[in-house]
């Protein structure tokens, strides 16, 4: 019975509570392990760095690539007179202009020669050298980082998404979340719910946005929406990073472009760009304390193959974004694409261990000493000189 | 048009029956299996049923586990059995998990739920942080040993128990506070022993007088001096070491504690806490917090004054304060101004769906984690892990965030069908869970849902259900 009065009353009295503004709890409490954030995105499938950061200033590029990586004359955006950005990443140009986007064009893990995705990813996530049998690899380098963080707690790190994130596995507790138990809010249910929220300003406002988030959480149940899962991952990551979480890691797929690379890599790059922008948007002022590293297991052949794609290679590119960057630039040297410059006569020659960039980032933002980084986090790594990547 | 709304004639103008009002505002909502008491006296009296039970986590248990796990850790470090150490840590985790499940169980099965709501309120008032096997168990022990026994006793007794509980002594750094002129400090001047003011400050600022009250840094310092001696070591049940305590008297809020002995005593500390607990400012501070938690984020001053008056006049008799709360007319006049925090949302949902404590106990650990504990964290209230010593936030806008609400909608869509088989008819759930309080909009929408699952989700995700 009743309830019209109750209903009207609860609606009328909302002003009372809505007046109390959200007193956001400051994050920099003693218990929180520092204020810097690290997001590691694993680009599974081996991203073609040569196509993403096109070295159009290298005259050998034209010889190797016929339909791909055609440079600024074909839609890529010149970055520095030598490299041009694949148009799929053009949404990130404002970041480049702001000094918040950098890349290392010729890096790799210590993994060589067999060019297997699974082994390459395992090594990338383990962060070790090739001297340790991968089958006995117990933990990932982000987990070892966690173990070194003084006040780490179960919320400090999140592995996000349905992918098994070895990079965070290990004895230190890390949370994981995946949108697989998906909310499948059909159009009818969504309509009814917005109706139910209509007369309650707080729930109407929050509910509208919640349903957008919820819609993006839909994946497995509704294939036509699965393509937007990356947005849910990024949104969730940003939300956690705005709270107690300092380390988040997730995967983006779609990089194994053996054929018709032009279209396939464009879609993958678009997802990557959207992911980074959703993170930036969601993080708000925390963006200034965030470092995003997008890493891949290896690069692809310098030479385009017979089906307008590329095959598994060695040297690849590392992409770094965030408000913590010192400047936008290509980091490290370029090995060249002349025949004698290639690794094994076919792949881009890696000039630096990708772990060195990660190690210097952890040194700068999580205060880890070099000794710990070279022995514990990335056993056997020689960090070498500081790439002065982060401010 | 699909969503054209037909309100029909306004329903009869009446308030909710008291039993429903009390269940929604003071308890964990309505249930098809339980009937909340229908008088304020009975609701207030029901808090007595929330004392410690056979499942209580106590310090002797915690200490024993701590000593054993540290012994195994040492062995493991010295090359001994890693597996045994790992298993024992897991055992500690299981003990805590059991305690968490029992918190759900008691909230699910209590006819009124008021006592369990008070447990949650005081656990947030005397907040400590879990997060590892040690602190998780300690936080559970604080609830069972310092809060549950005193829900209907004197506030001073609860405060003494909470402030001197090992969980609190560790969380607020009292264990590293040593009187600078104590026997211990004088014997080892090289160690640089000194005070830590954390517990003293929060004891005044958060737990008793409140930050707006008339006290000074000097009072905090003096209290910190008095508290020196309170400490915790898992090898001993003693929480007071004379040799750590400061000689001489301390003056707090104009009153002297201790005397000319060369060390302090636990009695002096109890006397100071008792005076803080019965201070007029404390009455106002606690009354305001209770009103904010149970009545409104912005409660009417009259309600605060009434509760503060009862608190002060009775010397902090919580049974009397509970009764004043159960009788408060603002339960009705400020209806639905509060948003349920995630733990309440989950328990209220389970109650509304008719899930019993026994059913919860029978669930696999993994399912409890997936269906309850992980969602709790995703909704913003990870178990026993408030951000700071000020406990969980109260404002509606802290909980009804887009992300938090998305998680509640997600839970409402996915979990009930996993927890209740078969899922009841949504029209039945509407009556069971909201009684006479459902809004016309919700009554209109529920029968139009495409499936049972959608219908139940609509109810649990609604503002009607998420507010109280």
């Amino acid at each position: 019975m009743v309830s019209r009065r109750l209903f009207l009353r609860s609606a009328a009295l909302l002003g009372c509570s809505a007046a109390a503004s959200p007193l956001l709890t400051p994050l920099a409490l003693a218990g929180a392990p520092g204020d810097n954030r690290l997001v590691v995105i694993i680009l599974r499938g081996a991203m073609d760095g040569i196509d993403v950061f096109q070295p159009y200033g290298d005259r050998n590029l034209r010889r190797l690539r016929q339909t791909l990586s055609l440079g600024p004359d074909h839609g890529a955006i010149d970055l520095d007179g030598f490299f041009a950005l694949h148009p799929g990443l053009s949404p990130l140009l404002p970041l480049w202009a702001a000094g918040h986007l950098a890349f290392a064009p010729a890096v790799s893990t210590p993994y060589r020669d067999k060019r297997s995705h699974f082994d390459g990813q395992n090594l990338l996530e383990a962060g070790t050298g090739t001297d340790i049998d991968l089958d006995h690899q117990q933990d990932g380098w982000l987990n070892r980082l966690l173990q070194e963080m003084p006040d780490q707690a179960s919320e400090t790190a999140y592995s996000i998404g349905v992918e098994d994130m070895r990079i965070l596995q290990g004895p230190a507790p890390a949370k994981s979340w995946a949108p697989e138990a998906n909310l499948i809010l059909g159009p009818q249910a969504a309509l009814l719910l917005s109706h139910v929220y209509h007369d309650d300003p707080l729930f109407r406002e929050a509910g509208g946005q919640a349903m957008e988030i919820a819609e993006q959480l839909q994946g497995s149940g509704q294939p036509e929406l699965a393509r937007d899962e990356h947005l849910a991952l990024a949104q969730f990551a940003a939300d956690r990073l705005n709270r107690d979480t300092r380390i988040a890691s997730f995967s983006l797929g779609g990089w194994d472009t053996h054929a018709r690379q032009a279209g396939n890599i464009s879609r993958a790059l678009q997802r990557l760009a959207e992911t980074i922008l959703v993170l930036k948007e969601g993080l708000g002022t925390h963006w200034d304390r965030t470092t995003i590293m997008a890493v891949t297991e290896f690069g692809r052949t310098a030479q385009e193959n017979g089906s307008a794609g590329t095959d598994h290679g060695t040297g690849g590119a590392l992409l770094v974004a965030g408000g913590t960057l010192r400047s936008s630039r290509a980091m490290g040297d370029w090995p060249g694409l002349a025949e004698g410059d290639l690794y094994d006569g076919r792949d881009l020659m890696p000039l630096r261990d990708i772990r060195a960039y990660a190690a210097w980032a952890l040194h700068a933002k999580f205060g880890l000493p070099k000794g710990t980084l070279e022995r514990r986090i990335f056993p056997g790594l020689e960090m070498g000189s500081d790439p002065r990547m982060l401010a | 048009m699909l969503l054209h709304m037909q309100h029909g004639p306004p329903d009869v103008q009446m308030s909710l029956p008291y039993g429903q009002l009390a269940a929604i505002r003071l308890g964990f909502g309505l249930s098809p299996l339980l009937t909340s008491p229908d008088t304020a006296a009975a609701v207030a009296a029901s808090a007595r049923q929330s004392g410690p039970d056979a499942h209580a986590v106590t310090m002797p248990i915690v200490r024993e586990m701590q000593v054993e796990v540290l012994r195994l850790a040492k062995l493991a470090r010295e090359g001994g059995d890693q597996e045994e150490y790992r298993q024992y840590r897991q055992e500690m985790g299981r003990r805590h998990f059991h305690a968490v499940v029992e918190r759900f169980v008691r909230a699910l099965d209590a006819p009124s739920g008021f006592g369990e709501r008070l447990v949650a309120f005081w656990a947030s008032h005397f907040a400590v942080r879990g997060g590892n096997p040690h602190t998780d168990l300690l936080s559970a022990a604080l609830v069972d040993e310092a809060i549950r026994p005193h829900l209907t006793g004197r506030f001073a007794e609860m405060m003494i128990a909470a402030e001197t509980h090992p969980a609190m002594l560790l969380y607020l750094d009292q264990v590293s506070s040593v009187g600078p002129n104590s026997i211990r400090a004088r014997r080892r001047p090289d160690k640089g022993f000194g005070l830590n003011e954390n517990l003293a400050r929060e004891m005044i600022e958060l737990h008793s007088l409140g930050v707006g009250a008339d006290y000074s840094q000097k009072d905090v310092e003096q209290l910190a001096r008095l508290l020196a001696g309170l400490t915790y070591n898992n090898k001993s049940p003693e929480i007071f070491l004379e040799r750590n305590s400061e000689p001489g008297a301390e003056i707090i809020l104009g009153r002297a504690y201790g005397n000319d002995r060369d060390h302090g005593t636990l009695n002096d500390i109890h006397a100071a806490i008792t005076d803080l607990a019965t201070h007029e400012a404390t009455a106002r501070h606690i009354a305001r917090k209770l009103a904010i938690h149970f009545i409104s984020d912005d409660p009417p001053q009259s309600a605060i004054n009434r509760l503060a008056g009862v608190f002060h006049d009775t010397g902090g008799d919580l049974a009397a304060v509970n009764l004043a709360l159960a009788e408060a007319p603002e339960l009705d006049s400020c209806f639905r101004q509060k948003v349920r925090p995630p733990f309440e949302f989950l328990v209220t949902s389970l109650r509304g769906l008719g899930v019993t404590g026994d059913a919860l106990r029978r669930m696999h650990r993994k399912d409890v984690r997936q269906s309850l504990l992980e969602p709790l964290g995703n909704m913003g209230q990870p178990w026993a892990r408030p951000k700071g010593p000020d406990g969980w936030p109260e404002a509606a806008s802290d909980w009804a965030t887009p992300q938090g609400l998305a998680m509640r909608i997600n839970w409402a869509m996915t979990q009930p069908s996993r927890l209740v088989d078969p899922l009841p008819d949504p029209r039945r759930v509407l009556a069971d869970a909201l009684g006479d309080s459902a809004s016309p909009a919700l009554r209109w929408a529920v029968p139009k849902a495409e499936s049972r699952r959608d219908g139940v989700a609509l109810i649990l995700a609604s503002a009607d259900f998420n507010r109280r």
Side-chain angles (χ1 to χ4, degrees):
Chain A
M1 302 298 290
V2 202
S3 46
R4 183 171 160 77
R5 205 191 102 204
L6 283 171
F7 174 67
L8 292 175
R9 193 200 301 149
S10 68
L13 285 169
L14 278 167
C16 186
S17 52
S21 75
L23 279 173
L24 293 173
T25 315
L27 280 158
L29 289 165
D35 205 23
N36 288 313
R37 284 127 172 109
L38 175 67
V39 181
V40 179
I41 304 173
I42 300 197
L43 308 173
R44 294 187 194 274
M47 178 180 78
D48 182 16
I50 293 173
D51 200 16
V52 177
F53 304 103
Q54 301 172 6
Y56 77 96
D58 188 324
R59 56 195 176 81
N60 287 300
L61 182 63
R62 288 278 55 77
R63 180 176 59 78
L64 294 163
R65 303 257 165 137
Q66 291 78 47
T67 70
L68 300 170
S69 319
L70 298 173
D73 293 341
H74 291 82
I77 303 112
D78 176 51
L79 293 176
D80 59 4
F82 187 87
F83 290 101
L85 188 68
H86 190 287
L89 284 187
S90 59
L92 299 185
L93 281 172
L95 296 188
W96 178 265
H100 292 175
L101 179 67
F103 63 99
V107 295
S108 75
T109 69
Y111 182 67
R112 290 292 181 277
D113 299 338
K114 288 188 84 174
R115 300 181 178 87
S116 144
H117 287 306
F118 305 115
D119 291 347
Q121 289 172 22
N122 286 350
L123 198 71
L124 177 69
E125 293 177 82
T128 54
T130 50
D131 51 330
I132 298 167
D133 184 355
L134 277 171
D135 293 332
H136 294 101
Q137 201 68 56
Q138 292 299 313
D139 50 1
W141 63 266
L142 282 183
N143 195 280
R144 292 196 297 277
L145 163 63
L146 267 183
Q147 294 168 38
E148 295 297 328
M149 288 170 71
D151 292 310
Q152 61 94 1
S154 64
E155 285 278 318
T156 303
Y158 248 102
S159 89
I160 299 168
V162 291
E163 289 281 355
D164 188 15
M165 299 299 285
R166 288 184 148 212
I167 192 168
L168 256 167
Q169 277 170 15
K175 291 251 170 168
S176 65
W177 176 85
E180 87 263 61
N182 273 320
L183 147 125
I184 302 149
L185 200 60
Q188 165 79 341
L191 214 56
L192 290 171
L193 194 55
S194 55
H195 175 74
V196 165
Y197 286 158
H198 183 269
D199 290 329
D200 187 320
L202 179 68
F203 279 77
R204 187 174 65 225
E205 180 69 23
Q209 292 182 53
M211 276 189 269
E212 282 173 31
I213 295 172
E215 223 164 77
Q216 288 151 8
L217 294 179
Q218 302 181 30
S220 54
Q222 305 217 332
E224 73 272 20
L225 287 161
R227 65 173 188 273
D228 285 332
E229 196 195 319
H230 63 290
L231 302 178
L233 303 184
Q235 224 144 19
F236 186 84
D239 183 68
R240 293 294 123 174
L241 289 163
N242 285 334
R243 302 191 202 189
D244 285 347
T245 300
R246 293 296 171 268
I247 294 164
S249 189
F250 55 89
S251 308
L252 294 179
W255 304 98
D256 198 16
T257 50
H258 289 282
R260 294 182 303 283
Q261 174 165 318
N264 288 327
I265 203 168
S266 292
R267 281 186 284 279
L269 287 169
Q270 189 192 336
R271 280 196 297 271
L272 176 59
E274 287 171 356
T275 300
I276 290 171
L277 292 178
V278 167
L279 279 168
K280 179 173 189 295
E281 170 108 1
L283 284 163
T285 55
H286 292 138
W287 171 256
D288 290 334
R289 295 203 160 257
T290 301
T291 309
I292 302 169
M293 303 187 80
V295 297
T296 193
E297 64 261 37
F298 40 71
R300 306 188 73 82
T301 49
Q303 173 94 51
E304 191 176 316
N305 67 16
S307 41
T310 50
D311 296 311
H312 297 186
T314 308
L318 156 74
L319 180 151
V320 190
T324 55
L325 283 185
R326 194 180 285 267
S327 63
S328 289
R329 65 192 169 94
M331 299 180 292
D333 295 326
W334 177 247
L337 294 172
E339 224 165 305
D341 295 329
L342 298 178
Y343 178 78
D344 212 2
R346 51 171 271 162
D347 303 337
L348 183 67
M349 177 73 76
L351 294 180
R352 195 156 188 191
D353 196 322
I354 196 168
R355 297 177 299 162
Y357 287 98
W360 281 106
L362 301 187
H363 181 64
K365 293 302 167 190
F366 292 89
L368 266 68
K370 277 182 72 177
T372 305
L373 289 160
E374 291 181 336
R375 282 194 296 275
R376 283 272 303 134
I377 312 291
F378 300 112
L381 172 72
E382 282 177 32
M383 287 170 68
S385 63
D386 186 354
R388 299 172 56 77
M389 180 167 80
L390 305 182
Chain B
M1 165 121 195
L2 177 67
L3 286 182
H4 178 70
M5 191 159 162
Q6 295 178 343
H7 271 301
D11 294 53
V12 187
Q13 307 275 313
M14 57 174 277
S15 285
L16 276 182
Y18 181 79
Q20 289 188 30
L21 183 71
I24 291 171
R25 302 229 60 193
L26 300 172
F28 287 92
L30 304 175
S31 153
L33 308 173
L34 303 160
T35 307
S36 185
D38 59 3
T39 66
V43 168
S46 74
R48 270 193 261 285
Q49 288 149 24
S50 284
D53 65 8
H55 300 280
V57 177
T58 61
M59 279 315 296
I61 298 171
V62 178
R63 268 204 318 277
E64 188 188 319
M65 296 195 100
Q66 286 190 309
V67 169
E68 179 64 5
V69 80
L70 292 172
R71 186 183 72 81
L72 293 172
K74 186 161 177 286
L75 283 180
R77 267 200 312 278
E78 292 164 354
D81 192 343
Q82 310 286 327
E83 185 56 18
E84 203 180 347
Y85 167 56
R86 199 182 59 78
Q87 282 184 6
Y88 200 81
R89 269 179 79 93
Q90 282 180 353
E91 179 57 31
M92 290 174 82
R94 269 194 293 276
R95 188 67 190 78
H96 176 246
F97 180 83
H98 177 70
V100 176
V101 168
E102 289 304 314
R103 281 282 290 282
F104 274 90
V105 166
R106 293 188 76 170
L108 276 178
D109 288 348
S112 142
F114 184 42
E116 296 302 311
R117 283 280 307 283
L118 286 168
V119 168
F121 171 83
W122 290 115
S124 181
H125 181 75
F126 291 112
V128 295
R129 223 173 125 94
N132 66 48
H134 295 266
T135 54
D136 277 342
L137 281 173
L138 284 161
S139 75
L142 185 140
V143 169
D144 284 334
E145 294 183 316
I147 290 171
R148 287 195 181 275
H150 304 294
L151 290 176
T152 57
R154 308 240 153 230
F155 176 66
E157 290 161 6
M158 184 190 285
M159 188 167 160
I160 286 171
E163 308 293 11
T164 61
H165 195 277
M168 188 67 76
L169 299 177
L170 284 161
Y171 178 56
L172 292 180
D173 305 317
Q174 183 61 32
V175 291
S176 59
S177 189
V178 176
N181 304 302
S182 64
I183 298 165
R184 190 166 172 212
R186 277 180 282 141
R187 277 185 195 153
R188 294 298 304 270
D190 56 306
K191 289 276 195 183
F193 287 122
L195 295 172
N196 185 310
E197 290 180 2
N198 203 5
L199 177 63
R201 181 175 311 282
E202 305 305 17
M203 201 186 270
I204 294 179
E205 175 185 322
L206 296 176
H207 300 161
S208 61
L209 306 186
V211 72
D214 186 17
Y215 67 93
S216 70
Q217 169 61 25
K218 187 87 189 142
D219 294 312
V220 173
E221 281 168 28
Q222 288 286 298
L223 181 56
R225 254 169 222 287
L226 181 68
L227 296 180
L230 278 181
T231 190
Y232 171 66
N233 180 317
N234 53 44
K235 293 188 188 62
S236 154
E238 293 301 321
I239 48 110
F240 185 79
L241 293 179
E242 283 178 358
R243 65 177 183 278
N244 282 13
S245 69
E246 197 62 359
E250 284 81 23
I251 315 280
I252 301 152
L253 300 172
R255 194 157 169 184
Y257 300 90
N259 53 29
D260 295 338
R261 281 188 303 264
D262 66 346
H263 62 79
T265 71
L266 196 51
N267 280 341
D268 298 334
I269 293 170
H270 286 184
I273 295 178
T274 302
D275 286 345
L276 282 173
T278 50
H279 196 283
E280 202 180 347
T282 301
R284 283 196 303 272
H285 181 59
I286 299 295
R288 165 171 286 278
K289 281 195 75 171
L290 281 165
I292 286 175
H293 182 76
F294 285 98
I295 290 173
S296 163
D297 293 352
D298 186 13
Q301 191 60 43
S302 54
I304 300 173
N305 292 347
R306 193 174 339 108
L307 293 169
V310 172
F311 188 106
H312 191 246
D313 293 347
T314 60
D317 177 359
L318 294 180
V321 174
N322 294 342
L323 179 61
L325 200 51
E327 287 172 338
E330 293 84 1
L331 295 179
D332 183 55
S333 64
C334 294
F335 191 65
R336 288 208 174 127
Q337 290 189 24
K338 297 289 300 179
V339 169
R340 292 190 162 116
F343 174 64
E344 253 184 68
F345 166 74
L346 291 179
V347 173
T348 307
S349 297
L350 296 176
R351 272 174 79 106
L353 292 166
V355 177
T356 63
D358 268 342
L360 190 61
R361 285 191 182 119
R362 284 195 300 269
M363 277 172 69
H364 292 294
R365 277 158 49 89
K366 185 169 141 284
D367 294 333
V368 173
R369 282 192 200 292
Q370 266 179 11
S371 295
L372 299 176
L373 303 186
E374 283 167 15
L376 200 54
N378 291 342
M379 292 171 194
Q381 199 178 28
W383 186 266
R385 295 183 52 74
K387 286 217 167 66
D390 51 346
W392 296 110
E394 286 285 352
S397 51
D398 279 326
W399 298 120
T401 62
Q403 188 69 36
L405 196 51
M407 292 302 157
R408 293 189 192 206
I409 298 171
N410 199 6
W411 192 90
M413 286 294 294
T414 54
Q415 296 302 327
S417 49
R418 298 175 62 172
L419 295 164
V420 193
D421 185 26
L423 198 61
D425 186 309
R427 290 163 295 186
R428 178 81 249 151
V429 177
L430 188 66
D432 288 346
L434 287 165
D436 300 329
S437 75
S439 66
L442 190 60
R443 285 174 198 277
W444 177 86
V446 167
K448 292 179 179 54
E450 280 173 345
S451 63
R452 282 184 174 214
R453 195 169 83 138
D454 283 8
V456 168
L458 211 50
I459 297 165
L460 301 185
S462 70
D464 288 3
F465 190 80
N466 281 274
R467 288 184 175 277
R468 59 162 155 86

